[in-house]
Amino acid sequence: MLASGIVAVRIANADDFHIWFALFEAVAAEGKWIGSESPLDRDARRQSFDHYLESEDAVTLLAEVDGQLVGNLGVEIRRGVGHLGMLVDERWRGRGVGSTLMESCINWAKEHGAHKVSLEVWPHNTAAIDLYKKFGFEREGLQRRHYRRRNGQLWDAITMGLVLDWDSRSSPFVPGA
């Protein structure tokens, strides 16, 4: 277990599904911070949760305060790139939960051989964008009208990345590499 101030981060286990799902469902119901929307498919979420438990290349990190779940971050490494998704209970935003989760995620990704960590974030989620920048993530692109919401709206998404390996050679096909 990793601790930072009052926030403790640990790796999820199978018994955590119900509390994890309740938090995921609450943030999804807000309709503006994560890609998933209510109502959620509980069985599909269970399969995804279990996949992260069983994979050596994925982890679900849980942030707790006094034993209460206040945030989570999932990261899965594919071809050396850790793809992450994160959410924090609305009552705990701006109180260090996201920073503690990001710190733990970056350390886990490095320990598991990732050369980069990548994410997508809604352009209106300025607090999350500021958090990611604080950890060295850079904006890498904008996907215009990329995600269709249940109400028919098309939302943009910003892609951001954090390079962890600057020592390996770059492509010989990139000018100046």
Side-chain angles (χ1 to χ4, degrees):
M1 184 176 296
L2 307 168
S4 173
I6 62 169
V7 180
V9 174
R10 66 177 176 84
I11 295 175
N13 62 59
D15 294 334
D16 293 317
F17 175 75
H18 302 293
I19 60 169
W20 173 89
F21 184 77
L23 177 57
F24 196 94
E25 197 170 37
V27 175
E30 292 179 64
K32 62 182 180 179
W33 305 120
I34 62 175
S36 298
E37 297 180 84
S38 293
L40 298 176
D41 180 337
R42 186 179 187 90
D43 292 334
R45 290 291 158 196
R46 181 69 205 219
Q47 288 177 0
S48 177
F49 185 84
D50 289 345
H51 166 74
Y52 274 60
L53 293 179
E54 296 162 4
S55 174
E56 292 180 15
D57 294 326
V59 69
T60 298
L61 301 171
L62 303 180
E64 297 177 329
V65 175
D66 296 327
Q68 174 191 356
L69 183 64
V70 296
N72 76 69
L73 183 151
V75 61
E76 181 174 23
I77 299 173
R78 287 178 258 138
R79 299 187 70 180
V81 179
H83 300 273
L84 78 86
M86 179 173 73
L87 56 89
V88 175
D89 182 299
E90 68 178 324
R91 296 164 294 191
W92 283 91
R93 293 178 192 144
R95 298 173 66 182
V97 175
S99 290
T100 304
L101 283 167
M102 287 302 302
E103 207 171 275
S104 298
C105 169
I106 293 167
N107 289 335
W108 185 91
K110 287 177 181 177
E111 290 169 6
H112 287 81
H115 64 266
K116 182 177 183 175
V117 180
S118 178
L119 60 87
E120 293 179 352
V121 60
W122 302 131
H124 65 264
N125 195 347
T126 56
I129 293 167
D130 290 345
L131 171 69
Y132 303 139
K133 285 181 179 177
K134 173 179 139 180
F135 281 89
F137 282 77
E138 296 180 3
R139 182 176 168 152
E140 295 183 334
L142 175 66
Q143 300 175 71
R144 294 194 183 280
R145 301 175 60 82
H146 194 74
Y147 289 100
R148 184 174 301 279
R149 305 296 282 177
R150 286 195 174 141
N151 65 8
Q153 293 175 347
L154 295 172
W155 285 19
D156 295 351
I158 295 172
T159 56
M160 298 183 79
L162 173 66
V163 174
L164 302 175
D165 176 2
W166 287 101
D167 297 327
S168 295
R169 290 183 29 209
S170 295
S171 167
F173 306 107
V174 177

